[in-house]
Amino acid sequence: MAMLVDTDTKTELGFPYWKPIRRLFGPESPFFSSGNIERELLAKQVALDLSEEEKHTLQNLVDEGGSREVFCPIVGCGAHLISLEHFEDHYNGRHTASCSVCSRVYPTSLLLSIHVSEAHDSFFKAKVARGYAMYECLVEGCGLKFKNYKGRQQHLVDKHKFPSSFEFFKKAHLSKKARQKQQRKQSIHISEETSSKMDIEGETIDGLVSAVSKLSTSDASPPSSISFGRRNTRGLAFVPRAVQREKKADSVPTGAKQ
Amino acid sequence: MAEGGLTSHRRDPIKSSVGNVAAHRRRQNAVEVGKERRESLVRAKRLCRVSSSCDDSDVCIENDMIIDEEQSILEAQTSSAVEELKSAVSFQGKGAMQKLVGALREMRRLLSKSEFPPVEAAIKAGAIPLLVQCLSFGSPDEQLLEAAWCLTNIAAGKPEETKALLPALPLLIAHLGEKSSSPVAEQCAWALGNVAGEGEELRSVLLCQGALPPLARMMLPNKGSTVRTAAWALSNLIKGPDHKAATELIRVDGVVDAILRHLRKADEELATEVAWVVVYLSALSNVATSMLVKSDAIQLLVQRLASSNSLQLLIPVLRSLGNVIAGDSHTIVAVLLPGCEITDNVIEVLVKCLKSEHRVLKKEAAWVLSNIAAGSVEHKQLIYSSEAAPILLRLLSTAPFDIRKEVAYVLGNLCVAPTEGDGKPNLISEHLVSLVGRGCLPGFIDLVRSADTEAARLGLQFMELVLRGMPNGEGPKLVEREDGIEAMERFQFHENEDLRNMANGLVDRYFGEDYGLDE
């Protein structure tokens, strides 16, 4: 008999929309294991003189059903978790290192520190401008460094088999309050014309560079990793309106807006 | 009559030879539920501790763990009992019959005493060939009964112990015949049920040897412990994964009628075992499912769900209903029509299960509802406007994970119209707006955050519905308010490429550079 039928629709946009389908499970499917265990326990319980403790342990057997063990799905972690319920704690404890400057969240301290250097460190930018190889490989233990973002990206794809759709520098989405706060901060900085502006613009330029360079790599990547909306204007996200108007005049090619 | 394992009340009092103090001491000696015990509890085989016709008045049930010294004594006794049996089998003189029955009875007592009978010792000492000899045709009933009882308990153990029964199978099957006395047939059915419960290989041997037709016939009478044991044995025999046995069973003359009769009238214990037969029939055999759907089986299942409070009965009945709805499109399309009384009744009993305190019932009821919600727009309206909706919303926030996942399927299915072809499925705005308004979004976003791939996928798919379908562009704001963006951004560093692409796609599309600029 037909088992689980998966008929997700993927249109040219690549998103598998919700499609209501009937789901049938085989009798020995893990879906039914709680019920099967309960059947046997109930049938045999009468012949046994179970203590409260034993009943409790057996109830856990039922509740666990099949195996509820889970491995953390964050890249490079693989931590073994006793149950799904434990995952949230694990995630909050291990994968929420956040940047104090821009509030982006990273799953490891290595990635966080790489981010801080590349996005907020003017010293870093200076060395890059002078041609030093400063962009570090993201894989723990590799340690190779590259002169630009694109070079590192290529290394990740070639050497470490990262998908070309993987983006290290990706804009984070601040809450509305934080966005407004940041926009205010940015306009103050621009009007005062302090050097802190370099921070934001530096970010923006990097983003622009990565976005433009990504144009060429994304053409070469296999269709499965191109989803809709791989927009290359992403780097401009946090540009304050004043700066953005200028940038738009520079006619950066935009992806199709939808 | 009282039978170990299959009944929920005993007729004979349990005589404990040493009393409560000893029982307590034994319990203390085995503090945890050991692995072996857990496995033995959970497997589909059942020990026979007290038989239906045995009037052995000093049968004594000691339920708790046997301490190590006791175990080795038991094993020694077993070996000598096998020796006794050997000499009784070859004895030709006066009173040979009595001697043989006596030896068998002693063997049987040793094998019924504890939760862990000395099966290995018995096999090692050579019990099986002797027991097979005791099953020869023409032997007195008492002899057949005791021998089959011994074999039953040997088969209730570990896989290799069950497999040791291979030489006995043809004879056990033969004694299922209509000429056999009822207790003998029943005991043989019990032994065969244990063998079938072991696994696919042994099931296939039993089917080849023709075990199915006689067992099926034993299920036809109206009542009696034999009917119940036969039904249980059949449920083990047809459980697959091959569907042939299930299809063969439903085609035996009188079986469909008997099943319906038992579902309608039998006491809860018999109905329970028959319902498990229906579970396997409906899960594995298209032929069986369509026969059941065309009869009044659904009605009968609904009646049981409405009237019973026994978890043992409710589980297989609910699951049978679920299988019949999931397996055959005819059910939703032609039988459970919106507006018909039967359909209202189905929803009503499913709601009753959702309200139950039992986890299994809640989860499987939600599964059944999700399949009905995958039907026509009218089906969705029916569920949406029923008592189910508020209960589902509450379960989405408060229930354990596996229940929340099934509930998510129901709610999502309510919001999407049946699809034709490959296009983007249409939303049912009224349901989406209302359910989101009643607070279902956080529950879905919680699923997005879970480590379970299927759940995360469901959550993202529902978020897409919200982002696309909420009027006045409210979708993105709502999602943001519930920390949906943060949840989606987690996938940036997630192993699963599909989920990464889904999440990235949504973020790019709905939270692009223009987002939040015109506030």
Side-chain angles (χ1 to χ4, degrees), chain A residues 1 8-9 16 18-19 22-23 36 43-44 47 54 73 75 88 163 171 173 229 231 233 241 257, chain B residues 5 43 63 286 319 326 367 370-371 406 413 422 457 461 489-490 493 495 500 508 511 513-514 517:
Chain A
M1 268 194 132
D8 280 344
T9 306
W18 187 301
K19 219 178 169 192
R22 271 180 300 124
R23 293 172 299 140
N36 291 342
K44 288 158 186 160
E54 289 168 335
V75 169
E88 194 61 19
K171 68 183 169 72
H173 293 83
R231 241 191 313 264
T233 53
R241 281 173 215 186
K257 235 166 185 274
Chain B
R43 62 169 78 112
N63 289 319
N286 287 332
R319 198 181 288 182
W367 163 63
S370 76
N371 283 337
E406 295 310 310
N413 284 351
D422 281 338
R457 198 157 204 271
Q461 285 175 318
E489 285 185 334
R490 285 192 184 195
F493 296 100
E495 275 171 351
R500 248 202 337 265
D508 283 349
F511 299 98
E513 83 224 25
D514 293 337
L517 286 181

Side-chain angles (χ1 to χ4, degrees), chain B residues 169-184:
Chain B
L169 299 183
L171 282 165
L172 288 169
I173 294 174
H175 288 299
L176 294 176
E178 63 274 13
K179 299 281 192 268
S180 293
S181 82
S182 187
V184 169

